[in-house]
């Protein structure tokens, strides 16, 4: 805060002290918002992945995931940062079953997880006629 806008020195000092007194409150509020954003993104991604792979996931794991998702959505309604963080950890742990299924599925198709099972040359190149060679000039 500077005196470029015609504010008196006393007013500037008051504003600086006010900002300093609310610094801890601002920090905790920022942490809460960040935790909520992270949990919200985790809920979205987990729901999306579960819906895509539900048929391949054991029923007990689906049930555990759905309970963890419900708990996470309830935690997002509140303002308890520690509960939100704990719920995010619980949901991450429950989602490991989903990751295991995805990894097994990718292994069965021969692709690494995240590659979507794309075959070589799936980017529009046929792969035919490509030879790794070295040209040697014998002259």
């Amino acid at each position: 805060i500077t005196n470029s806008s015609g504010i008196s020195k006393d007013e500037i000092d008051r504003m600086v002290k006010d900002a300093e007194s609310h610094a801890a409150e601002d920090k905790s509020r920022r942490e809460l918002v960040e935790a909520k954003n992270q949990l919200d993104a985790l809920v979205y991604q987990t729901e999306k992945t579960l819906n895509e792979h539900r048929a391949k996931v054991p029923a007990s794991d689906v049930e555990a995931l759905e309970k963890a998702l419900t708990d996470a959505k309830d935690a997002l309604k509140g303002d308890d940062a520690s509960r939100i963080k704990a719920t995010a950890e619980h949901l991450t742990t429950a989602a490991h079953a989903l990751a295991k299924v995805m990894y097994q599925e990718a292994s069965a198709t021969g692709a690494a997880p995240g590659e979507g099972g794309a075959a070589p040359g799936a980017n529009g190149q046929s792969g035919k006629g490509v030879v790794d060679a070295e040209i040697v000039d014998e002259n």
Side-chain angles (χ1 to χ4, degrees), residues 21-87:
S21 69
H22 292 290
E25 181 182 319
D26 292 343
K27 181 181 177 188
S28 65
R29 180 71 182 153
R30 184 181 70 243
E31 287 175 359
L32 173 64
V33 170
E34 288 173 355
K36 277 187 163 187
N37 287 342
Q38 289 173 349
L39 181 57
D40 188 48
L42 181 61
V43 166
Y44 172 79
Q45 187 61 44
T46 304
E47 282 182 327
K48 180 181 173 195
T49 306
L50 177 60
N51 289 334
E52 291 172 359
H53 300 280
R54 183 179 296 272
K56 300 168 191 127
V57 179
S60 61
D61 291 338
V62 170
E63 187 177 314
L65 271 166
E66 287 177 341
K67 180 172 180 353
L69 284 166
T70 300
D71 291 346
K73 289 176 185 178
D74 288 343
L76 284 170
K77 294 176 185 174
D79 287 336
D80 184 356
S82 61
R83 178 176 179 225
I84 290 169
K85 290 175 184 177
T87 305

